[in-house]
Every structure is written in C-alpha cells, then in structure tokens.
C-alpha cells in the first residue's frame, strides 16, 4: 500500500527555528566587505612587520631606509616630470614668439632692397638651413624679384604646435603672402601651409627647416 500524500497532523507542537542573520552576509554589508578585508590585510601586514622588526632591529632600520629611499625616488620622479613639463611649455612660448618675428622676415622682401632683406632673413636661420636658403634665394628668388619688380609681404594668420621639446619645437603655420609686381599691378594674396621647425641654438630660437605642405 502506498503512503498517503497528506499525512495526519501531529499532536506535538512544532517549533520553527530561524537562522540568525549574519551581519557579514546581508545586502547592506556587501559594499563594505572588500574595504574591511583590505583593512584586515593591511593590519595583518603591519603586525607581521612589527613582530619581525621587534626581533631584528637591523631589519627595522633597513626597512625604514628602504621606505625613505622609495619615497625619495618617487618625489624626485614627480619633480623631474614637472620640471620637464615646465621647460616644454616654456619652449613652446619662446619658439612661438621667435617664429612670429622670424617667418615674416624670411618670406618677405622688396626687389629694391632684396640683398638687405635676404641678409636679414639669414639671421633667423640655423647654419645648415641658411646654406640652403642662400642657394635658393641667390639663384632663383632674387633674380626673379628684380626682373619682375616683385614685392611680397608674409603674415602668419594661425599656428598650431605639432610637437615640443626643450630645445626643438615643430609648428604648423597658416601664412598669407601678399604679392605685387610689374605683372601684378593689383595685390594678389596667396595662402599656404608650412611646417616650421624651430631649434634652440646658443639660447636663441632659430629656424631649422621651413617646408610647404
């Protein structure tokens, strides 16, 4: 005979037991579990260090020296990074100011004073680039300027720093050149984009390269 699905209720009173809530397992304690574990880990670590150091004074001294060394290295690294950042920012400003003065001189000339204009332009250039500039201007620019009675004036209208180091800054320039000559009675304005490299030489910012793109 199979047992009945429903059994007769017992006459003995039944007592229900409920597990006491664990304060460490409730929803409200989940967020604080990891911080408490971390605090326990740190506390255990310091307890371990105190026990070891208490038994070995030399080890305690060594740990203090190591700690001070780590702090000193970290502080020095942060200070150096801050110093380099300040120097790079200073280089940006100085090179930008030098470029604002130099580029119009290099790209502007008057056919009546072409030799003086080119000589002034060379003072803004590094040695290698000055040699290239001399070759280009003497063989092509100066003869054409005199023959065509050309005057040109360059103006920087916008700049953007591509990269900056303590002694080298690369900029993107947007330049307008206004040209007038025998065959150009009305001024003509041409816009161009140039990549300018400024190099610090003997505490002076000079043009190392100027390339149209």
């Amino acid at each position: 005979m199979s047992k009945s699905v429903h059994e007769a209720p017992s006459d003995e009173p039944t007592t229900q037991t409920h597990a006491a809530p664990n304060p460490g397992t409730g929803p409200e304690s989940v967020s604080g579990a990891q911080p408490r574990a971390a605090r326990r880990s740190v506390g255990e670590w310091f307890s371990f260090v105190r026990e070891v150091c208490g038994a070995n004074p030399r080890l305690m001294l060594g740990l203090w020296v190591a700690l001070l060394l780590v702090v000193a290295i970290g502080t020095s690294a942060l200070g150096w990074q801050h110093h380099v950042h300040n120097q790079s920012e200073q280089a940006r400003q100085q090179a930008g100011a030098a470029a604002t003065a130099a580029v119009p001189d290099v790209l502007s000339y008057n056919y009546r004073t072409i030799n003086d204009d080119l000589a002034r332009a060379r003072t803004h250039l590094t040695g290698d680039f000055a040699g290239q500039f001399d070759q280009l201007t003497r063989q092509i620019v100066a003869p054409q300027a005199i023959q065509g009675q050309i005057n040109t004036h360059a103006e920087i209208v916008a700049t953007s720093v591509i990269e900056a180091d303590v002694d080298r800054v690369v900029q993107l320039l947007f330049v307008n050149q206004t040209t007038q000559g025998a065959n150009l009675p009305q001024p003509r304005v041409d816009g161009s984009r140039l990549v300018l490299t400024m190099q610090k030489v003997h505490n002076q910012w000079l043009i190392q390269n100027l390339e149209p793109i």
Side-chain angles (χ1 to χ4, degrees), residues 148-167:
Q149 299 180 356
I150 298 173
N151 301 325
T152 184
H153 174 73
E155 179 184 10
I156 300 175
V157 295
T159 65
S160 177
V161 175
I162 299 175
E163 60 179 273
D165 203 347
V166 175
D167 56 2

Side-chain angles (χ1 to χ4, degrees), residues 8-176:
S10 174
D11 294 336
E12 297 180 359
T14 60
T15 58
Q16 296 181 350
T17 60
H18 300 278
N22 186 348
T25 58
E28 68 280 356
S29 64
V30 172
S31 59
Q34 292 182 351
R36 282 198 299 272
R39 287 195 295 271
R40 285 196 297 270
S41 299
V42 172
E44 291 171 0
W45 165 251
F46 277 114
S47 297
F48 171 76
V49 170
R50 282 195 298 270
E51 291 175 2
V52 173
C53 292
N56 193 335
R58 291 184 179 181
L59 180 59
M60 179 174 64
L61 178 60
L63 288 175
W64 273 112
V65 172
L67 176 61
L68 293 176
L69 182 61
V70 170
V71 172
I73 292 174
T75 303
S76 299
L78 291 175
W80 176 251
Q81 290 178 356
H82 182 69
H83 175 69
V84 171
H85 174 76
N86 287 344
Q87 283 195 323
S88 297
E89 186 61 30
Q90 187 177 19
R92 285 171 177 254
Q93 297 176 3
Q94 293 177 349
T100 300
V103 171
D105 270 357
V106 172
L107 299 180
S108 303
Y109 56 83
N110 187 308
Y111 77 94
R112 296 185 181 89
T113 58
I114 185 70
N115 292 328
D116 292 338
D117 294 341
L118 297 179
R120 182 178 65 252
R122 283 194 297 273
T123 64
H124 298 292
L125 313 177
T126 63
D128 293 340
F129 189 59
Q132 301 174 20
F133 180 82
D134 281 342
Q135 183 178 5
L136 174 65
T137 55
R138 292 184 184 279
Q139 294 180 2
I140 300 175
V141 176
Q144 290 183 354
I146 294 172
Q147 182 180 1
Q149 299 180 356
I150 298 173
N151 301 325
T152 184
H153 174 73
E155 179 184 10
I156 300 175
V157 295
T159 65
S160 177
V161 175
I162 299 175
E163 60 179 273
D165 203 347
V166 175
D167 56 2
R168 183 175 179 271
V169 175
V170 181
Q171 292 178 298
L172 175 64
L173 305 182
F174 296 86
V175 178
N176 284 343

